Each structure stands twice: as structure tokens, then as C-alpha cells.
Amino acid sequence: MSLGVASVVTAQFGARANAVGAHYWNMQDDAHGDDDDDDDDGSTSIDWRVEYAERGMESTSSVGTSYVPRVVMVEARGMIARAGAEASTAAAGEARAAEGTWGGRCSVFRAPLAKRSAFVLALEREAKAREAEARVRKIVTGEDSEEEEDERELGRRKLGGVGRALERGSKGRERATLDDPEDVKRELIEAASKLDVEADHWSDYLKVELHAKNAFALAGRWEGIDAFEGFGEGLEWIDSEDRREDLRDAVRYWAEDCDTLGGFRILCDDSTAFGGVCARALEDIRDDYDGRTVSLFSVRPPAVREKKRMDMLNAAFASTTLAELSDLYCPLAACDDYPTMAGLRRNSWFHASSVAALAMEGITTPWRLKSKGSNEASSMHEMARFMTNRAPGPHASARMSAPSPGVRGAEDAEALTRSMRSVTPAMPKRQDDDDDDSVPFAEYFVARGVSDDSIVVNSVLDGVLSKELYRCPRRRCVVGDAIPIPLPFPKIFSPDDPSSVSSLIRLTTSSATSRVLGAIERDFARASASAAGKATLAAWSVDAVERAETIETLISTARAYAGDSDDVDF
């Protein structure tokens, strides 16, 4: 890690958050796959060192130094299908725990590993083929030396039959056989094309190599067996035994890797119990890394889903507890019909999570740029402070156009405005849907690949802003690089299958948050007043006083965003 790089640690809580993260890390893998040294060749404007760490890897696909995301993926057990060692490690740990407390005979029953998708199997075949090819090349060129014997042996063990075949071939006893690269590529493309139907979980399409410390599986919580839906359930889980300290150590492992820690990016499925787990983790982050910025992206289900009582309770605690622990709090979801995404199916998490990933890629661009001294770049802290300086809290919303329409000048401002849609639930879906009382406190525009000429982009943005009713502080970040679209990305841009897309993000803090918080307060008051709601809160150890405090916090925050503490009717 080079000095001067403000590194970011990411933590992802829950299956939905990890689904968004998988798309996001796939994008980074495509953007930085060949950019793995400190030399700036100008191929991309994004600095990979902000989010990646150098680690020694011992995996099927590589032996030696590799670069891995600086991320903690918090999940229920049984969900990380590619991490085959997870189940055996958990089983061994449970067996040791049982032996320590029971003197008699004990048995360990292991659940079968989750079935790997055809895409993951194709990735593994590709990785083995690449390593086999590299091994043969070294044998042919005679680059191997006696000092590399240990590495060769490790490679043979990892490659299994392929490694033994290569070794026999190197000694002249048997000829090594390599996979046809075109056949491997064809299988990978075919498997990716089936993900729209076959992808049940984020590990089915994640193509990024992970480190052992990237995964944090919840002890005693198994996907498909244990219900884990309520905010209070998450608090109860993490407060028991030493689980809070275990998660703290998982975050610390990556934070201590940073020469300069720029902040924490949190993705949280806060409509489930993972919101409670995240709340405790944020408390510890605040205690351990005082002053470091926290940007939280709340990953929400599509707005078309009917709200349940549990959703209403969770939303209230997320909008108060989690927001209060964040410097910037922005919910993300596929919550509209996007004219540029004809193939989007919002009821599919594989699809919906890709929209949120595109939005997060755009929003976080300014603090991942290489040229930190330019007008385009800003640190995470600078962005959060700019967005909330005039706002009464950290709540933000976003609109996005992706792919954005081609622009030539100010005359295209109207077309660009029409193409933008909300990616934040419960906010006005289009800019022209806003009521007159929706006053912006600050806005941040981020353009990616909209035009090669930044002057053209800025002239179009000038045209967009010239029609705004209200003035507020506004910043712009115009980057020539488009967003890469990786192979396992859903085919939402039908009928085209682009390798990259342009995008425009409009991040806003505004008085519209007042209406959102008001609706959350009314839902919470109604849900928590019912017999079932009271029973749920009691199970979470939330008494009448805490319930009243939550309602009061929502009301007071909503009034603060409305700019009137007396005349707002809830």
C-alpha cells in the first residue's frame, strides 16, 4: 500500500447487501484486472489501491501474491457457496466445542455444501487452465529453479490431477494435456448467459477471488433454517457470547492494513436482522476509529413489494439508529421503471441488486479517483461533510441515468433530465415530480463516460440547473471512464449487451426526507401498537419508553428536514 492513498474498508451485512457487493466487486475486477501495480499507466481514472489489499494467496487459481478487496462479508452460514472450507471449518469448531463440554460420545452431522453454479464451475476451470498453461510455459522455457521446489509442490497439490499430469510431462514420462482456451471461454460465456435463470445467491455470480478473512459467517445462523428477520434479533445475536468482539476483529484486520484510513463504506440489508448486527458493528467502529467517516448504503427490496409489519418496525430502527451512527445514509433500491433498462426485472434480486451496484459505483467515484488534487476528486469525508453541512442529518437520496443519453451540448439538458430516475425508495421518482416544498440542501453530480469532453458535460449540467427552482451548493465530478459491465452482469440493457455504460448520478440531501420519515413514523406507530407488534418489541426488549423515543426521534427529524418544528402535520 502506497502512502498518501486514503484507503476504504467495506463491510457488507446480509444477503441483499452482498448481492449488491458482488456486482460492484465484479465491476472493479473488470476495471482493474490488469492494473495491479503502483505504476499509473493512465488506463483508468479510478485508483484500485483505495479498496484493495495485497495478500499472499493459496487458492486453486493462484499461488503467491494477489490483490483482494478490503471487505468483510457478513452472512448466514451455508450461503458462501464458493468457500467450500466454510462448512468443514464450522463443523470442526462445533465438534471441538462439544468435546470440551461433553465427556461421552459425540457425532457431528454436516449439511451438504450449497450447489455451485455453472458459472462458478466454469471460473474454476478457467483458473486451472491458466495456471496449467503458466506451469507448462515455465517448464518449456526452463525458468524453474531448485529454490522453487516448494512452490511447485504446493501448485501440484492445488491442481490435483492436472498438476500431477504436468509433473509427469516435465519429466518426459507423460505428455501434459491443456484445455483449449477457446473451449474454456465458450463455456464461461454460456454459463454467464444462464445466470438470469440460475442465479439464486450472490456467490453464484461473484467472480472475484476472496481471501479467507473476507467472509464472516454468523455462528448458529443457517440460511433456510433459522429465521433472522427482525432488527432486535440481530442485536440479540451479536450481544451474546463473544460475537461482537469477533466481528470487531474481522473489521480490524482490514483497517490495520491501511497506511491512511479514509473511512468505512457500509452496505446493509437493514430491513432484516442484519440491521441490528450492523448497528453494533458501527458502534464499535465509532469507538475504535474516532473521526473516521462512515458512508452507509441501505439496501432495500424493490418498492413494489407489499410492506409487512416486520418491515415497518425494521425501517424505523434503521432510519434512527443506523442513520445516527452514519455520516451519510443513502437507501438504494430498484424502485422505478427505468427507460434505459428494458430487460430489468425488479422482482429478481439478481437484477435489482445490479441497479443498486451501478448507483453505488457512481456515488463513490469522487473518493476513488487517482488525482486527489483535481477539482473532480474529493475524499469520503469531504463528500459527506459537503452533503450534510446545511442538512439537519445524514439522510440522502439518489437519482440515476444509466446508460445516459448521448450529449452534445446544452440543448440535450432536457433529454438528460427526463432519463433520470430515483434509486432511493419512497422519494419522488422523477425530478419534475417534486413538490414545490422539496428544497435541496446540497447536490453532488457524478458523470461517468457521458462524454469525452468535460466541457460538453458541464454545459449540459448548466442547462439542467438553469431550470431548477431552488439554488443550493452543488458540486460536480466528471470522469471520462464509463462503468465496466462484467460478464456475469444481468442482461438488463436489452437488446444490447454492452461492455461498459455511461451514467449520471445526482446525489441530494433535501426536505423531501421529511415526507419519507413521516411515513416511516406513521407505519411504525401503527405496527407497534398492534398486539403482534407489541409482542415483537417485547421479544426485542424494547419497552414503551423506547418505543415512544423512537417515534419522537422520527417526528423531530422529519420536522427538522421540513424546516418547521411546529407546523408540520404528521
Side-chain angles (χ1 to χ4, degrees):
M1 181 62 64
S2 298
L3 293 174
V5 176
S7 303
V8 172
V9 174
T10 301
Q12 300 169 183
F13 295 85
R16 292 167 183 163
N18 283 310
V20 174
H23 285 302
Y24 176 82
W25 294 116
N26 284 347
M27 294 176 193
Q28 307 317 305
D29 188 58
D30 270 27
H32 311 304
D34 298 323
D35 189 18
D36 58 354
D37 53 43
D38 289 340
D39 297 331
D40 183 4
D41 60 4
S43 60
T44 175
S45 301
I46 306 299
D47 192 341
W48 64 269
R49 298 170 300 170
V50 172
E51 301 177 308
Y52 279 75
E54 181 179 321
R55 285 293 181 274
M57 301 292 289
E58 295 182 3
S59 68
T60 302
S61 60
S62 66
V63 178
T65 300
S66 185
Y67 297 87
V68 295
R70 200 179 292 107
V71 59
V72 179
M73 300 173 173
V74 183
E75 259 287 21
R77 290 195 179 277
M79 291 292 277
I80 307 176
R82 290 188 66 189
E86 178 198 359
S88 58
T89 301
E94 291 169 3
R96 287 193 296 270
E99 291 169 358
T101 57
W102 175 251
R105 181 180 177 183
C106 65
S107 299
V108 177
F109 297 90
R110 300 182 182 180
L113 292 176
K115 182 181 178 181
R116 299 184 180 186
S117 67
F119 180 74
V120 170
L121 295 176
L123 282 176
E124 292 177 351
R125 182 188 177 191
E126 180 192 42
K128 289 179 180 179
R130 286 182 177 178
E131 188 169 354
E133 182 182 6
R135 180 65 67 191
V136 168
R137 188 178 294 111
K138 290 190 71 175
I139 292 172
V140 171
T141 58
E143 295 178 2
D144 262 355
S145 63
E146 293 182 2
E147 289 76 11
E148 294 175 305
E149 177 60 33
D150 291 341
E151 182 180 343
R152 290 204 306 272
E153 178 61 29
L154 177 59
R156 288 195 295 274
R157 291 201 304 270
K158 292 296 182 182
L159 279 173
V162 175
R164 289 191 293 273
L166 287 172
E167 183 63 14
R168 287 194 295 271
S170 69
K171 294 179 179 179
R173 294 198 299 268
E174 190 171 329
R175 186 176 180 181
T177 302
L178 298 178
D179 278 335
D180 180 3
E182 290 301 318
D183 184 43
V184 173
K185 180 179 179 181
R186 189 163 45 249
E187 180 184 350
L188 195 61
I189 294 174
E190 182 180 355
S193 68
K194 297 177 181 178
L195 284 172
D196 270 15
V197 176
E198 296 181 353
D200 294 325
H201 182 252
W202 57 269
S203 63
D204 290 334
Y205 57 88
L206 176 68
K207 69 186 187 76
V208 178
E209 187 169 20
L210 299 179
H211 188 271
K213 294 289 188 179
N214 285 136
F216 184 91
L218 301 188
R221 292 291 176 179
W222 289 86
E223 174 61 24
I225 299 176
D226 301 296
F228 203 53
E229 299 180 349
F231 195 93
E233 295 176 52
L235 295 176
E236 181 182 3
W237 179 89
I238 197 170
D239 286 339
S240 61
E241 302 179 13
D242 294 325
R243 292 164 177 167
R244 185 167 181 171
E245 193 60 32
D246 291 341
L247 183 52
R248 199 172 194 166
D249 289 341
V251 174
R252 185 182 296 119
Y253 175 83
W254 295 106
E256 291 181 349
D257 170 77
C258 307
D259 290 326
T260 303
L261 180 58
F264 294 87
R265 176 179 52 204
I266 309 297
L267 281 74
C268 182
D269 180 5
D270 58 13
S271 58
T272 67
F274 283 97
V277 177
C278 180
R280 290 291 188 259
L282 286 179
E283 290 175 2
D284 292 334
I285 287 173
R286 287 301 194 189
D287 290 340
D288 295 342
Y289 311 98
D290 185 35
R292 294 297 186 268
T293 304
V294 173
S295 294
L296 193 151
F297 297 95
S298 165
V299 180
R300 301 286 175 82
V304 295
R305 195 187 81 168
E306 182 181 355
K307 288 189 292 186
K308 301 178 181 178
R309 181 183 297 105
M310 190 69 74
D311 297 328
M312 298 177 185
L313 299 177
N314 289 335
F317 289 112
S319 299
T320 52
T321 305
L322 293 183
E324 290 173 357
L325 292 167
S326 307
D327 296 288
L328 193 67
Y329 179 83
C330 183
L332 296 176
C335 53
D336 197 1
D337 293 322
Y338 303 92
T340 56
M341 302 179 188
L344 176 65
R345 300 198 311 270
R346 284 186 287 162
N347 60 341
S348 163
W349 259 107
F350 180 53
H351 281 222
S353 57
S354 69
V355 176
L358 284 170
M360 188 175 70
E361 166 71 20
I363 293 170
T364 62
T365 293
W367 37 269
R368 295 184 292 120
L369 292 178
K370 288 179 178 177
S371 302
K372 293 298 187 289
S374 72
N375 293 330
E376 312 296 344
S378 67
S379 67
M380 183 192 296
H381 173 74
E382 290 170 342
M383 173 183 272
R385 185 173 180 179
F386 173 80
M387 294 301 301
T388 60
N389 189 43
R390 298 179 60 189
H395 297 268
S397 61
R399 287 186 176 86
M400 177 176 68
S401 172
S404 60
V407 296
R408 300 173 302 278
E411 66 273 11
D412 297 315
E414 185 176 350
L416 190 60
T417 301
R418 287 199 307 267
S419 70
M420 301 198 76
R421 295 292 186 273
S422 176
V423 287
T424 298
M427 292 302 249
K429 295 182 178 181
R430 299 165 183 80
Q431 187 67 25
D432 55 9
D433 287 344
D434 276 1
D435 297 331
D436 289 342
D437 63 347
S438 182
V439 181
F441 301 117
E443 289 192 319
Y444 215 120
F445 289 83
V446 183
R448 291 283 302 270
V450 175
S451 173
D452 293 332
D453 190 343
S454 61
I455 297 178
V456 171
V457 178
N458 281 306
S459 68
V460 174
L461 293 179
D462 288 339
V464 171
L465 297 177
S466 66
K467 300 179 180 180
E468 292 295 308
L469 181 62
Y470 296 101
R471 294 181 179 272
C472 72
R474 292 183 170 97
R475 290 191 66 173
R476 305 174 185 182
C477 175
V478 180
V479 179
D481 301 342
I483 297 176
I485 299 300
L487 181 61
F489 203 80
K491 312 306 178 187
I492 60 177
F493 304 115
S494 176
D496 297 325
D497 190 12
S499 60
S500 63
V501 297
S502 58
S503 76
L504 178 65
I505 284 287
R506 185 173 190 168
L507 184 66
T508 305
T509 51
S510 75
S511 62
T513 299
S514 174
R515 297 194 295 274
V516 176
L517 294 178
I520 292 174
E521 183 274 326
R522 290 190 295 272
D523 287 343
F524 176 75
R526 184 172 67 255
S528 61
S530 66
K534 290 178 180 178
T536 299
L537 293 183
W540 296 353
S541 301
V542 176
D543 58 22
V545 174
E546 290 177 275
R547 173 183 177 272
E549 289 176 350
T550 301
I551 292 175
E552 178 57 33
T553 298
L554 288 168
I555 291 176
S556 60
T557 306
R559 285 176 171 166
Y561 271 94
D564 191 334
S565 59
D566 298 317
D567 299 332
V568 180
D569 183 16
F570 296 104

